[in-house]
Amino acid sequence: MTADPRPLAVCLMGPTASGKTDLAIELLERAPAEAGVRFEIVSVDSAMIYRGMDIGTAKPDAGTLARAPHRLIDLVDPAESYSAGRFRRDALAAMDEIRAAGRVPLLVGGTMFYFRALAQGLAELPEADAGVRAALDAELAAHGAAALHAQLAAIDPVAAARIHPNDPQRVQRALEVWRLSGRTLSDWHARQHLAGCPYRLLNFVLLPADRGLLHARIEQRFDRMLACGFIEEVARLRARADLHPGLPAMRAVGYRQVWEHLDGLTDRTELRQRGIQATRQYARRQLTWLRGETGAVPLAPATAVNTVLRTLGALRDHPG
């Protein structure tokens, strides 16, 4: 078999609160001696890109970042939009810099659509339109996510089957493409050749030992966020005249629930319940996506580091 000539990059995927960051840091510190690899971390997280959104995104603190710098966090203001296409461009630029420095990119996160964009490329779609997006936001507020998903299913059943009903941002984007072009998102994808990836991606998936343990970790982490000032963080964002609940940044898991609490729609107990429930639903969608990642190496938490190091060692001894 011909060796793959592309430079190596390692992807560490997993659901929220599964321990990806801790695993990445341990790999960063142990891999040079045990596998002959020097890593640098690239974040693959659609919420950590936003500045000022630190507590609710579980962004690594200053001490952790000093110990293990992360690229692609704090990139944009919450009022700005950020696409999967832009992530792909930013990630590849960061990976090229890491490679030029003699290190290996370690891509860590739970935004599966970003991982797919990196691996497969993206179709060239119509640019976002503020008027169409505003109309879709109004429909979402008036009728709910299920109604928009039903609308998508009527015009593009293939996309509707792929996009979860509880993912309104992607549902709205698919509807926006249809309204702007008269062509479905599936048709755009089918007619275009995707670019692939200039890196050889070695994929690992960190899976919880059981669903109950993951739920417990989610609950504990949300409680820590509240104790560390999550409500106050959202209050500062909410005080800005240019931010509103319809923005992608403010739709991030947890932020929407805290915003509703600050609007007086829930008390603190209900905020906690809704925040934990929303995070569990997000983790469930991530796990569904991860089960479709063929060729990825599954990692059990107890043996994850050693599994990755052994795989890298074998790759070093038998490249290609």
Side-chain angles (χ1 to χ4, degrees), residues 149-167:
H149 192 269
Q151 194 179 136
L152 178 61
I155 62 170
D156 188 355
V158 174
R162 188 176 67 248
I163 301 173
H164 196 280
N166 291 333
D167 192 351

Side-chain angles (χ1 to χ4, degrees), residues 182-313:
R183 289 170 52 192
T184 66
L185 184 66
S186 299
D187 184 51
W188 277 92
H189 287 160
R191 293 191 190 192
Q192 298 194 39
H193 174 71
L194 301 183
C197 185
Y199 282 79
R200 178 185 181 185
L201 301 178
L202 182 59
N203 295 329
F204 295 92
V205 176
L206 182 61
L207 298 171
D210 62 71
R211 191 70 61 90
L213 179 60
L214 180 62
H215 286 178
R217 287 177 63 96
I218 288 171
E219 183 173 339
Q220 291 162 8
R221 190 176 71 171
F222 197 80
D223 285 338
R224 284 197 303 272
M225 290 175 177
L226 292 175
C228 289
F230 188 16
I231 295 174
E232 292 75 13
E233 177 177 88
V234 180
R236 289 192 293 272
L237 295 166
R238 185 171 171 270
R240 289 178 43 173
D242 59 340
L243 298 183
H244 58 83
L247 288 169
M250 296 300 99
R251 292 179 186 171
V253 173
Y255 286 84
R256 178 172 18 185
Q257 289 72 32
V258 176
W259 192 293
E260 292 171 349
H261 169 69
L262 292 170
D263 279 344
L265 301 178
T266 61
D267 60 22
R268 190 179 176 97
T269 298
E270 192 171 7
L271 158 64
R272 178 181 181 274
Q273 293 170 344
R274 289 190 176 189
I276 291 170
Q277 181 182 25
T279 310
R280 288 178 176 177
Q281 290 172 343
Y282 179 51
R284 185 160 56 246
R285 295 196 299 272
Q286 290 172 307
L287 288 167
T288 298
W289 191 302
L290 287 165
R291 281 193 284 269
E293 282 295 323
T294 57
V297 178
L299 300 176
T303 58
V305 174
N306 290 333
T307 299
V308 175
L309 293 175
R310 281 198 306 270
T311 304
L312 290 171

